[in-house]
Amino acid sequence: MGKISISRRFLISLITSPAWWLGVAISLLLHLMVAQIVEEKAQSQFEYIADNAQLAVQNRVRSYIDVLRGATALFQTSEKVHRDEFRHYVKELKLDSSFPGITNLNYAQHVPGLEKQSFEAAVRRDTSISPEGYPAFAVKPAGERRDYNVITYVEPMESNGVSFGVDMASNPVAAKALATSRDTGQLVSSGRLIHITGPHQHIGLAMRMPLYKRGMPLRNVAERRRAYYGSVGAGFDVNRLMMGAIDKKVLGSMRIRIFDAGHGDEKLNSGTSDPQRLMFDSAAIPLVAERSPAIEPTEADLFAKRVSMTVGPRVWEAEILGRRSSLMNGFDVSLSWIVLIGGLIASTLLYSIYYSMMTARRRAIELAREMTTDLRNSEASLAEAQHMARLGSWTLNTASKRMTWSAETYRIFGMDHFKDGPRLDDFLCRIHAEDHERVHLGLMRALPDNEEFNIEHRIRRLDGSIRWVQTITRFDNDGDNTLLRGTIMDITDRKHTVEALQRSQELLRDLTAHQDRVKEDERKRIAREIHDELGQTLLALRIDVSMLDARTGRSHPRLNEKVRGALNHIDATVKTIRTIINNLRPAVLDLGLTAAFEWQVAEFRRRSGITCELVMNEKEFHVDDARATSLFRILQESLTNVIRHARASHVIVEVHREAGRLVMTISDNGIGIYSDIRQSGNSFGLVGVEERIHALNGKFVIDSAPGKGTSLTVFIPLERVEQEEAPRKLADAAK
């Protein structure tokens, strides 16, 4: 009875004690506070992981887009990038190790419908990589269309051969995207997932950038359409891209779904949860699904977050789901109950709170370190790609004049990093003095015009050496700041190669002109020697044989018959020699250019049976012997081409003087010249004509179309010829 009474008193005193109730109240308050702290810590950890996942995906895709921009810059460095050059460029990027999400880089050429057959033939003959070319190449799918956008280069070819020759414009959706990219000059994305078939099946995403001809204006849609000649694209394996960007530990504890929300100004009617817009679902990846069962939005202990990110021209929306139980360990779950049970044990309560907070801080630091490592690896990969491509990047804040340079930009200028960061003046002072004004004005003009600025210029490195670079600048707007984003590529080696090639071409042309002069002099010498030596000998022989013919006519009939046969052979030989002399150098050239043209036109009529009309607005054109000979040979070669190829029935040769130049036009009504024949390396006749004209500092124009005949116009500058020179030439010819 005593024990029961003591217990009852204890219970009564305990229940009636204000301190106990205060302790109970404090314990309950601490229990609620700790429960709230654990919940907020889990929520904070979830938010941190979600933000890091968003940033990792966004940085990874941006680095991949920079690879695509680098491929676009490759095509801007040359009038034509060949297949072997493109393959070498992609090979040096090392896509498998450096950019595992990129399945291929490709170049699609815009081909007008009329040029389809010649385009297919050119690809089949392309032996730059394969000695046998591509004999089975054809545009896919078959059929005649107004124009085509054909994937002409694709690397690596081994795993992407199914795309080789595909006409992307045959798909209306793709055609619309290509047209938008062409008209705006912006990057476009497929937006939707592409199911890639073949031996390397995967779920893909495609992005493309347009290509424009160098030097052509791009101020409006019409000009961009005229300058457009194709596009560069990249294919992405969405799963590999995401798996490479997001930590596998995060994928094991959360479910991440990414939807395409359209363009930045596009308003979705169906919402981003539309399955048709689903681009990535971590639950659909087998290895992830084994570690983490599918997370459904209806679960009670669910954390959920939606974040938007800008990827090129489109907006992606990520839905990130995570269970509270996966973000809280057992101690976190039971901590509030420990606090409630412990009640007034302040030391245990304070220690538990401290431990919980320290645990949360340590986990946050570990996640920050992992994120920093990923960012540094991404920056290192980008720097390596820029170094391989010799392509640096920079950003200019137009308000503060401060700039940000990539590591490759510093290397191109031969400089170390600035202590306070580079400024615009630091950039401009490196520009060569002769190019400084052009570059500065171009940069300033790019701001109000909002247009791309592309220029090749020289820079002076810190060590004093001169290098050639190509700078491309584009206007951008980052919130309240107006920016200029640009790239700078070292093109010194290419410049030196082009200059050496130009010098070689000039030397070759000088050699060709010298050979033509030597050949004409030799022809003239041989013709005169044949005329003077062999001609005189045959003339004397004919006189002797004629005398023998007269003496044997009656006395020796049979001998006279043999003599007459010999006389006929001598006459035939004389005629042959005259033909040879005319072929080597027509004697009529010594009578003046007009006489030579009239003789050549008469010979053309006689040999071909084609009517030919010679129109000259002056009785005689006084030119030096070199010009007369070259003009005669050009006319001779042109008329020979008419006989061989034109199938013409009428030819007009017009010669007149115009502004200190001699203008000669040869027109026919034949079948015309096809563009593939004009560009063929076997058209030696036109090559010879071009070299002769170039040797005289002239130019020529060919106006031709299939079925509409051909017109060749030659412009030769005339040097001053003294008035007394013409009669002297006639006197020399009479001799």
Side-chain angles (χ1 to χ4, degrees):
M1 291 294 294
K3 291 182 179 180
I4 296 174
S5 299
I6 292 173
S7 298
R8 183 177 298 167
R9 285 194 300 269
F10 174 76
L11 291 174
I12 294 172
S13 63
L14 183 64
I15 294 172
T16 58
S17 171
W20 185 82
W21 286 110
L22 179 61
V24 171
I26 293 175
S27 299
L28 289 174
L29 179 61
L30 291 176
H31 167 73
L32 296 176
M33 290 176 58
V34 172
Q36 182 66 26
I37 290 173
V38 172
E39 177 72 12
E40 290 178 354
K41 185 202 75 172
Q43 179 71 35
S44 171
Q45 186 176 352
F46 171 77
E47 294 284 344
Y48 185 81
I49 295 174
D51 291 341
N52 287 345
Q54 173 197 3
L55 183 60
V57 171
Q58 204 161 5
N59 287 339
R60 176 60 61 93
V61 175
R62 285 177 177 173
S63 68
Y64 284 13
I65 292 176
D66 287 342
V67 173
L68 182 58
R69 296 188 187 277
T72 304
L74 172 67
F75 279 82
Q76 293 296 325
T77 62
S78 176
E79 291 294 337
K80 179 174 178 57
V81 176
H82 297 283
R83 187 181 302 275
D84 54 343
E85 295 173 342
F86 184 74
R87 165 170 281 196
H88 180 72
Y89 175 81
V90 177
K91 181 179 178 181
E92 290 300 320
L93 288 178
K94 300 178 182 178
L95 298 180
D96 288 341
S97 58
S98 300
F99 307 98
I102 300 180
T103 59
N104 70 82
L105 288 176
N106 61 78
Y107 159 62
Q109 183 171 336
H110 175 255
V111 181
L114 295 178
E115 298 178 10
K116 175 186 176 184
Q117 294 183 353
S118 60
F119 166 75
E120 290 177 335
V123 175
R124 292 167 186 159
R125 293 193 305 268
D126 186 356
T127 59
S128 58
I129 294 178
S130 175
E132 61 272 15
Y134 304 93
F137 175 83
V139 176
K140 300 178 291 187
E144 299 299 325
R145 294 178 284 279
R146 181 178 180 182
D147 54 7
Y148 306 83
N149 282 271
V150 185
I151 296 181
T152 308
Y153 303 163
V154 57
E155 294 295 339
M157 176 69 85
E158 295 77 10
S159 57
N160 297 277
V162 67
S163 301
F164 184 42
V166 171
D167 174 21
M168 296 184 294
S170 62
N171 184 323
V173 177
K176 182 178 179 181
L178 287 170
T180 301
S181 175
R182 174 199 64 200
D183 293 346
T184 61
Q186 300 296 321
L187 174 76
V188 295
S189 169
S190 61
R192 308 296 178 85
L193 295 181
I194 304 173
H195 295 271
I196 307 299
T197 59
H200 303 275
Q201 297 184 10
H202 63 276
I203 304 299
L205 180 69
M207 293 187 182
R208 307 202 67 79
M209 292 191 70
L211 295 175
Y212 301 104
K213 296 178 182 177
R214 297 175 60 192
M216 295 187 67
L218 305 172
R219 294 167 296 190
N220 51 51
V221 173
E223 290 181 348
R224 284 190 282 270
R225 289 181 178 178
R226 284 193 295 270
Y228 178 75
Y229 71 92
S231 61
V232 174
F236 303 93
D237 184 333
V238 177
N239 287 343
R240 290 185 65 188
L241 188 153
M242 297 301 172
M243 291 293 290
I246 304 174
D247 190 347
K248 294 181 176 58
K249 294 179 181 179
V250 175
L251 293 175
S253 61
M254 295 187 179
R255 180 180 182 182
I256 300 177
R257 295 193 297 177
I258 297 179
F259 298 86
D260 175 50
H263 288 280
D265 56 352
E266 182 179 349
K267 190 173 183 180
L268 299 178
N269 295 324
S270 56
T272 52
S273 297
D274 184 359
Q276 297 297 325
R277 293 183 174 269
L278 179 64
M279 301 180 61
F280 173 76
D281 188 352
S282 61
I285 302 176
L287 293 178
V288 176
E290 292 176 3
R291 294 194 301 267
S292 176
I295 301 175
E296 297 298 333
T298 56
E299 296 186 9
D301 64 334
L302 187 66
F303 284 135
K305 183 176 182 180
R306 286 182 177 271
V307 293
S308 297
M309 64 187 80
T310 301
V311 179
R314 305 189 71 84
V315 175
W316 290 0
E317 185 166 296
E319 180 186 69
I320 305 175
L321 306 175
R323 288 195 182 95
R324 290 177 173 83
S325 57
S326 65
L327 297 171
M328 295 187 294
N329 55 30
F331 180 78
D332 292 332
V333 174
S334 59
L335 180 59
S336 61
W337 298 104
I338 294 175
V339 171
L340 182 62
I341 294 172
L344 300 177
I345 307 175
S347 59
T348 304
L349 177 62
L350 293 175
Y351 176 78
S352 299
I353 296 175
Y354 172 78
Y355 177 80
S356 177
M357 297 302 296
M358 288 299 296
T359 301
R361 182 175 178 273
R362 184 169 58 254
R363 288 178 181 173
I365 292 174
E366 290 176 356
L367 289 173
R369 287 175 179 174
E370 292 176 1
M371 184 60 192
T372 301
T373 301
D374 290 341
L375 287 175
R376 288 176 178 174
N377 292 337
S378 177
E379 291 176 354
S381 297
L382 177 59
E384 181 181 359
Q386 289 188 349
H387 181 66
M388 289 188 294
R390 296 184 180 181
L391 176 68
S393 60
W394 53 266
T395 304
L396 168 65
N397 187 315
T398 58
S400 64
K401 304 300 181 182
R402 291 193 174 274
M403 301 184 71
T404 302
W405 292 0
S406 68
E408 185 63 17
T409 302
Y410 281 102
R411 191 199 66 79
I412 290 175
F413 283 113
M415 302 174 65
D416 294 329
H417 288 69
F418 290 91
K419 181 179 180 181
D420 298 327
R423 300 182 63 85
L424 178 60
D425 291 341
D426 299 319
F427 180 86
L428 294 177
C429 74
R430 294 291 100 200
I431 307 301
H432 194 277
E434 296 179 5
D435 300 332
H436 185 279
E437 185 175 358
R438 285 193 304 131
V439 175
H440 185 250
L441 291 178
L443 292 175
M444 296 303 101
R445 194 179 298 114
L447 286 173
D449 296 342
N450 193 15
E451 294 181 357
E452 181 180 280
F453 171 59
N454 190 334
I455 187 174
E456 293 182 0
H457 61 91
R458 291 161 293 177
I459 62 172
R460 185 180 298 277
R461 303 183 70 187
L462 192 60
D463 60 5
S465 60
I466 303 298
R467 305 289 290 180
W468 275 96
V469 298
Q470 180 183 22
T471 299
I472 302 176
T473 304
R474 188 183 296 275
F475 174 83
D476 195 7
N477 196 339
D478 184 12
D480 297 333
N481 297 321
T482 301
L483 305 177
L484 278 180
R485 299 188 185 274
T487 60
I488 182 169
M489 174 178 283
D490 189 337
I491 60 171
T492 304
D493 294 341
R494 177 168 64 84
K495 272 287 185 181
H496 290 168
T497 301
V498 171
E499 290 174 357
L501 180 60
Q502 289 175 347
R503 290 194 297 269
S504 176
Q505 289 176 341
E506 291 297 329
L507 290 174
L508 182 60
R509 291 190 176 207
D510 291 343
L511 177 60
T512 301
H514 176 70
Q515 288 178 336
D516 286 339
R517 290 193 298 270
V518 171
K519 182 168 62 176
E520 290 296 338
D521 291 343
E522 187 65 15
R523 282 180 172 181
K524 186 176 181 180
R525 184 189 65 80
I526 294 173
R528 286 181 176 176
E529 287 187 0
I530 292 175
H531 178 271
D532 295 341
E533 301 295 334
L534 186 57
Q536 296 298 327
T537 301
L538 288 175
L539 179 60
L541 180 60
R542 191 183 190 287
I543 293 173
D544 292 341
V545 174
S546 297
M547 293 175 60
L548 183 59
D549 175 44
R551 292 178 180 178
T552 59
R554 294 181 180 179
S555 59
H556 298 83
R558 296 181 63 183
L559 179 59
N560 182 262
E561 183 179 351
K562 295 293 185 179
V563 171
R564 285 186 176 277
L567 190 61
N568 291 335
H569 283 304
I570 292 173
D571 290 339
T573 303
V574 171
K575 185 176 181 180
T576 301
I577 289 175
R578 288 176 179 172
T579 302
I580 292 173
I581 292 173
N582 281 331
N583 288 337
L584 288 172
R585 175 180 170 82
V588 73
L589 270 174
D590 296 328
L591 300 178
L593 189 62
T594 301
F597 278 12
E598 290 174 347
W599 178 84
Q600 181 60 46
V601 168
E603 281 293 301
F604 171 76
R605 294 195 198 102
R606 182 183 62 80
R607 289 189 294 113
S608 65
I610 300 173
T611 60
C612 183
E613 181 181 354
L614 177 62
V615 180
M616 306 179 74
N617 67 347
E618 295 184 21
K619 185 176 181 180
E620 183 58 74
F621 295 92
H622 301 297
V623 296
D624 57 79
D625 185 67
R627 282 173 169 73
T629 302
S630 295
L631 286 168
F632 178 80
R633 295 300 183 192
I634 292 170
L635 176 62
Q636 192 178 51
E637 181 64 35
S638 300
L639 294 178
T640 301
N641 286 338
V642 171
I643 296 174
R644 291 178 178 175
H645 310 295
R647 303 179 192 173
S649 61
H650 185 68
V651 179
I652 299 177
V653 179
E654 298 180 78
V655 184
H656 64 277
R657 191 189 305 267
E658 176 186 288
R661 299 183 300 178
L662 187 66
V663 182
M664 180 175 66
T665 303
I666 302 104
S667 305
D668 65 69
N669 61 349
I671 62 174
I673 303 177
Y674 290 84
S675 58
D676 55 345
I677 296 177
R678 289 177 57 181
Q679 298 172 1
S680 171
N682 297 324
S683 56
F684 296 111
L686 289 177
V687 173
V689 169
E690 181 179 2
E691 292 302 324
R692 289 182 183 274
I693 294 171
H694 185 272
L696 298 177
N697 296 323
K699 67 176 184 177
F700 76 105
V701 177
I702 296 179
D703 184 10
S704 179
K708 296 183 179 180
T710 301
S711 177
L712 171 65
T713 304
V714 178
F715 302 89
I716 301 296
L718 293 175
E719 295 181 348
R720 292 185 177 178
V721 180
E722 299 296 333
Q723 297 297 327
E724 64 273 17
E725 195 172 25
R728 185 169 64 250
K729 287 187 175 180
L730 292 177
D732 293 340
K735 294 178 181 179

